[in-house]
Every structure is written in C-alpha cells, then in structure tokens.
Amino acid sequence: MSPSTIKVSNLAPNTTEQNLKDFFTFCGNITSIDYNDKEHTATVTFEKPSAAKTALMLNGGTLDGSHLTVTSDSVNPDEPDQPEEKGPATHPHIDQTDKPRAGIAAEYLAHGYVLSDHVLRRAIEIDNTQGISKSFMSYFTAIDKSLGSRVGGPDQTVTGKFQEVLTGAHAKAKEVDQQQGISKIAESYYTKALQHPLGMKVRSFYTSTAKQVTDIHEEAKRIAEHKKNPGATPQPESTTPASSST
C-alpha cells in the first residue's frame, strides 16, 4: 500500500464518492478514490504522505451523519513530515499540506463539518509535535511584510504596526486600502485578516503551537464569516457571554 493511502470505513449509505472527495480534499490533493458503496468503505490515496497523516487525524470525524473510521497500514502518523525543497516564489503560495493541522481543522468546521473536541485536540497535539512548517511560516511572513510595507513603510509588518498603535494602524490600513485599492488584490483570508486589528490574534493562531480547542472554534467562525462575505475583514468575537440553558 502507498505511504499516502488511507482506508475509510463506516461510511453513511448516502455518502457518495464526491462527498468523500469534498471531505478529504481539505487534507491535500487526492490522486485516487476506490469507493465500495456496497460495503460503505473507501480507499483514498493522496499526492503526499503528509496529507494522509492529516486524514488519519480525522478518525472519528463526521460525514453525512456517520462517524468515520480512518486507518492506514502504511502511514505512520507519528513520523515527522518531510519538508519539501521549494525555490523562491515571486508570489506567495501555500499548499494545503503546508498548513497547520489546527488551521485545517478550523476550515472543516467553517464549512459545516462536525469534528469532535477529541479530533481538535489531536490536531493541536500534531502541531505541538511537528511544529509549523517553514513553508507556511515563510508564506505568512511574506503576506505580513507585503501589507506592512503599504501601511508603515519598508521592512514593516502589518501585525507589528497594529501592535504598536492598534487603533491608529487600523485607520491607516483603511486609508491606504482606499487610496491604493488593496482590497482588490487582497484575495486570501489571511491577507484580509491581517489588515484588521484582529490580525495579531490570527497571526498567533497560525504561527504558534500554543492554542486550545476554543481557539480552533473561534478561527472557524472567522473563516465562515469571510466565506459568507469575502469583502469584509474578520471581526473579533463578541465579549457578551452566551446564555446557557439549565
């Protein structure tokens, strides 16, 4: 079996091959799916072993109302990811497999999938063990510096500017956005998030391994809001406590 292959069982009767593809694409590029609709099982092969490790993290996740069993005879989830050699890029780009697992988990939640706290804790544990990939750190820093140069001049980062003068930097960012049309070229969620005073919190979520399950839920809400309204910057969570039932 390929070192990039997983087995999925306990699929719901109404789960289709397309449902499977949509679900596991968050882990990384899929090269093939062997779907057995009679036994409600599937074999999914990814382009990269790191994607298969992310998929194993989803054991116990929910698809179409059924709790999935995700296993592999060839993938060792505890084996460190092998970094890829990538040449310098003229434009920031990141592969799904380069992202922190907690960030991927937040994307699942933002798109309406159900992951238990156990799965979310597993994502945090993997990030703690593996660390954040150099590719993702370089990508995120490139965005931060690109925006920072527009807001504060050369060699500035936008999150650093916000930390220096939070309200003033936000106003400055909005002013520059209007004058130079940054919104027209700020296509990614990360870019828009870093333009908001909330940027320090977003940056910390993606570049630090110190986080809790609630942090993943909060990031999922920000991603979901951006998904509904791509032109808006993510808003901070309400400080008003939610009412609880007894």
Side-chain angles (χ1 to χ4, degrees), residues 21-95:
K21 183 176 181 180
D22 291 343
F23 184 80
F24 284 107
T25 293
F26 286 96
C27 301
N29 291 332
I30 296 171
T31 58
S32 67
I33 295 178
D34 183 8
Y35 180 53
N36 187 327
D37 58 351
K38 293 182 179 179
E39 296 184 5
H40 307 303
T41 63
T43 300
V44 182
T45 301
F46 295 91
E47 184 179 283
K48 300 178 182 179
S50 55
K53 293 177 187 177
T54 302
L56 288 176
M57 174 189 84
L58 300 170
N59 182 42
T62 304
L63 177 62
D64 297 328
S66 181
H67 296 293
L68 304 180
T69 300
V70 185
T71 60
S72 177
D73 296 330
S74 60
V75 180
N76 181 0
D78 297 324
E79 182 179 324
D81 293 331
Q82 295 300 316
E84 291 185 65
E85 293 294 332
K86 297 182 180 181
T90 56
H91 186 275
H93 172 72
I94 198 69
D95 291 331

Side-chain angles (χ1 to χ4, degrees), residues 113-226:
Y113 292 109
V114 177
L115 301 180
S116 68
D117 285 354
H118 179 70
V119 172
L120 301 186
R121 283 192 291 268
R122 191 180 303 143
I124 294 172
E125 290 172 2
I126 294 174
D127 287 343
N128 281 331
T129 302
Q130 302 267 0
I132 309 300
S133 73
K134 291 182 179 179
S135 296
F136 187 83
M137 292 294 287
S138 297
Y139 165 79
F140 214 85
T141 300
I143 291 178
D144 200 0
K145 286 184 176 180
S146 176
L147 289 171
S149 65
R150 294 181 174 95
V151 175
D155 300 322
Q156 296 290 323
T157 61
V158 72
T159 48
K161 193 68 177 176
F162 285 149
Q163 188 175 35
E164 179 184 344
V165 187
L166 189 64
T167 305
H170 185 214
K172 178 66 175 177
K174 289 179 66 176
E175 176 186 342
V176 175
D177 186 51
Q178 293 168 354
Q179 293 176 356
Q180 299 184 10
I182 292 177
S183 290
K184 295 181 180 179
I185 62 173
E187 299 176 351
S188 75
Y189 163 74
Y190 303 132
T191 304
K192 292 188 182 298
L194 289 176
Q195 290 182 76
H196 193 272
L198 193 63
M200 284 298 296
K201 190 170 186 178
V202 173
R203 180 184 175 89
S204 176
F205 178 85
Y206 285 99
T207 60
S208 169
T209 57
K211 57 178 66 73
Q212 299 177 351
V213 167
T214 53
D215 296 323
I216 297 180
H217 282 289
E218 287 181 4
E219 179 59 14
K221 291 177 183 178
R222 292 190 287 265
I223 296 173
E225 182 60 33
H226 174 75

